[in-house]
Amino acid sequence: MTSLREAREATVWQETATGAPAVPGLDGESRAQVLVVGAGYLGMSAALHLAAAGVETIVLDRNEPGSGASGRNGGQVIPGLKHDPAELEAMFGVERGERLWRFAGSTADVVFDLIARHGLRCGARRAPWIQGVHSVQAASRARQRVDDWQRRGANVEYIDRTRTAQIAGTDLYLGAFVDHRAGALQPLSYARELARVAIAAGAKVHRDAHVTALVRDGGRWCAITSAGARVHARTVLLATNAYSDGLVPGLARSIVSLNSLQIATAPIPAASRAALLRNGETLADTRRVIRYWRLDDEGRLLMGGRGPYRDTRDANDWGHLAAHIRRYFPGLADVPITHRWGGRVAVHVDYMPRLHRPRPDMLTAIGCQGRGVAWQTAMGVELAKLVLDPDYDAVLPVTPVRPIPFHPLKAAGVASAIALWRALDRLGVS
Ligand SMILES: Cc1cc2nc3c(=O)[nH]c(=O)nc-3n(C[C@H](O)[C@H](O)[C@H](O)COP(=O)(O)OP(=O)(O)OC[C@H]3O[C@@H](n4cnc5c(N)ncnc54)[C@H](O)[C@@H]3O)c2cc1C
């Protein structure tokens, strides 16, 4: 296996993505009904649905569409939340809980319907999501999850170790929860294609437009960029998620922004990948410190997992992912690793995403616990509905932002928690 040091520190998706839509920078003064800050899945889905409804919408991103987590992720389209239906009903009451699990269970459909309706070129395919079970306790939870969803009519099943090994290409999992509502796509292509169709629907999207201030100006918002451009809008949608900065005080401190890292191998010879997710399935496991993998359309193996809490600095930070490949797939030990990269995921301590109104006429959906491809696309539709009808009862309650007390300490605590979770995962007691 080629040393990680020789691998390019860049996402493999950049090399295989559909072309980026032409997106200009921004100067001077502009006006719109809605300003969206952030051009990932959330921002572009909201912008597309607003523009399609005839709402003048401007989207600003400090880099370009898909430069945040949306262009850097594993492309696993996973319905559902970390919490299962019965838990959601216990947390939110039966009525809201049922709405939530129905919504969560249908988020992959929202993605694939959008792709089909708009002809998005993003290598999308429907294929099962395999959640490999790493311990006896996790197996019992996975069986419960199957039972919980099956009673509600969802197309999920539990498979045993042999069947899991036949699909995953490794016998190191005790079994798996299989979700047939899932799928896969090329994440950067999906982000760019959402931007393309949002622009075609009438949204104005600008790159290199870092919003550094949002000020109230005669009952409207005025966004000021680092280059001094201004956008005036009635409503602001913050779609900055794990990349939230100090723009809205307290927002970045309401989440823990973790590193998720990935590596890609060179294309694997067809014979060696015949037993590896051959029907296009994607896989993640039940560990607290998750591992996930899939093949891309060129036959590369993409292995992902959590990184250190701090910013990554060194090729060694990806070392555990190379070790996973050697352990799960000893036959691939000689396949070169060509790329390593990472991005940020926004996590809440209770693993529940949030919908906030941080200020009047300002909304955000934040914190998808590393499962935002389907969720944030669907939440973009919810944000659009809330703009179009302020009385709309969204799927999540709209709550105020609650910064985590002593956030820097919490962050340090999370770093130690990750170390503890790793140890528990190893011992099989999680
Ligand atoms: C390595 C990795 C692997 C993952 N794998 C999966 C997976 O397989 N399946 C899954 O469902 N989820 C996965 N996720 C999570 C998923 O990618 C995210 O939940 C999702 O992309 C979030 O989309 P978003 O639009 O909310 O945020 P983002 O895509 O992060 O967009 C936020 C945008 O805001 C912009 N921004 C921030 N501040 C400002 C500002 N002040 N002014 C202007 N612009 C600003 C940023 O430039 C960025 O483009 C993964 C995440 C990572 C990092």
Side-chain angles (χ1 to χ4, degrees):
M1 194 172 272
T2 314
S3 121
L4 276 169
R5 250 166 240 297
E6 293 161 47
R8 289 186 57 201
E9 192 175 341
T11 93
V12 77
W13 303 123
Q14 289 279 358
E15 290 172 22
T16 58
T18 43
V23 171
L26 179 74
D27 50 30
E29 305 248 346
S30 325
R31 275 165 212 288
Q33 287 165 281
V34 176
L35 165 67
V36 178
V37 182
Y41 303 142
L42 179 72
M44 294 320 313
S45 167
L48 168 62
H49 289 90
L50 286 169
V55 178
E56 288 175 326
T57 305
I58 292 182
V59 185
L60 305 183
D61 197 283
R62 70 175 169 208
N63 297 310
E64 59 179 334
S67 58
S70 297
R72 323 176 65 78
N73 63 68
Q76 304 196 6
V77 187
I78 310 167
L81 290 165
K82 295 270 182 182
H83 296 285
D84 298 323
E87 286 173 312
L88 292 171
E89 289 178 0
M91 289 164 81
F92 290 88
V94 175
E95 204 179 310
R96 167 83 62 187
E98 176 172 350
R99 253 192 94 190
L100 251 170
W101 63 254
R102 282 190 190 283
F103 179 89
S106 69
T107 50
D109 291 338
V110 172
V111 170
F112 288 101
D113 288 352
L114 260 183
I115 290 170
R117 190 157 15 109
H118 294 279
L120 307 186
R121 295 158 302 174
C122 57
R125 58 172 183 264
R126 292 235 67 161
W129 179 63
I130 313 294
Q131 190 180 31
V133 156
H134 78 287
S135 72
V136 173
Q137 281 181 28
S140 134
R141 277 197 301 274
R143 285 180 195 280
Q144 235 174 308
R145 174 164 306 133
V146 167
D147 188 49
D148 201 4
W149 274 113
Q150 275 183 348
R151 273 191 288 119
R152 292 166 171 86
N155 188 4
V156 301
E157 63 176 321
Y158 188 84
I159 57 172
D160 65 12
R161 184 176 208 144
T162 311
R163 193 85 184 84
T164 304
Q166 284 162 355
I167 298 173
T170 170
D171 64 359
L172 288 175
Y173 288 112
L174 305 184
F177 167 81
V178 180
D179 196 324
H180 293 277
R181 303 167 296 179
L185 46 71
Q186 211 282 19
L188 181 58
S189 296
Y190 178 50
R192 287 179 171 177
E193 286 285 275
L194 277 178
R196 177 178 67 80
V197 295
I199 293 166
K204 295 194 167 68
V205 182
H206 297 276
R207 55 176 297 156
D208 303 321
H210 187 182
V211 180
T212 50
L214 283 166
V215 291
R216 230 28 194 158
D217 178 15
R220 291 170 72 84
W221 285 106
C222 173
I224 305 166
T225 70
S226 55
R230 285 167 185 258
V231 176
H232 303 268
R234 180 171 48 85
T235 305
V236 171
L237 301 182
L238 284 170
T240 50
N241 210 349
Y243 290 81
S244 298
D245 48 21
L247 184 58
V248 171
L251 187 62
R253 285 188 297 118
S254 72
I255 51 159
V256 181
S257 172
L258 296 176
N259 265 315
S260 190
L261 303 184
Q262 290 187 81
I263 54 176
T265 66
I268 298 170
S272 310
R273 70 175 122 102
L276 184 57
L277 303 175
R278 70 167 155 266
N279 294 315
E281 301 91 341
T282 61
L283 185 146
D285 72 16
T286 47
R287 285 183 169 81
R288 285 165 187 266
V289 186
I290 192 174
R291 301 167 185 181
Y292 55 94
W293 70 80
R294 60 169 289 183
L295 295 175
D296 73 359
D297 284 352
E298 284 71 39
R300 298 181 183 85
L301 174 63
L302 274 49
M303 174 65 72
R306 287 276 175 270
Y309 183 73
R310 56 169 168 75
D311 280 336
T312 47
R313 290 180 202 128
D314 191 291
N316 291 329
D317 287 336
W318 284 263
H320 59 301
L321 302 180
H324 295 336
I325 295 184
R326 287 193 297 271
R327 177 151 181 262
Y328 290 119
F329 310 110
L332 300 181
D334 294 331
V335 178
I337 294 172
T338 54
H339 298 75
R340 57 183 158 96
W341 73 96
R344 291 263 167 197
V345 298
V347 174
H348 285 112
V349 181
D350 63 1
Y351 291 116
M352 269 307 293
R354 299 285 197 279
L355 178 57
H356 292 309
R357 182 176 286 116
R359 300 281 179 281
D361 301 322
M362 183 185 286
L363 289 162
T364 187
I366 189 165
C368 18
Q369 336 300 323
R371 280 198 197 178
V373 175
W375 180 264
Q376 287 298 75
T377 303
M379 285 308 292
V381 184
E382 288 291 285
L383 288 186
K385 285 182 181 170
L386 269 168
V387 170
L388 294 169
D389 173 8
D391 294 328
Y392 173 67
D393 181 21
V395 68
L396 280 174
V398 181
T399 53
V401 176
R402 291 202 197 292
I404 300 172
F406 310 111
H407 189 268
L409 291 179
K410 185 58 133 194
V414 167
S416 349
I418 292 174
L420 173 67
W421 292 343
R422 267 211 176 96
L424 293 175
D425 286 342
R426 263 198 301 273
L427 293 170
V429 290
S430 59

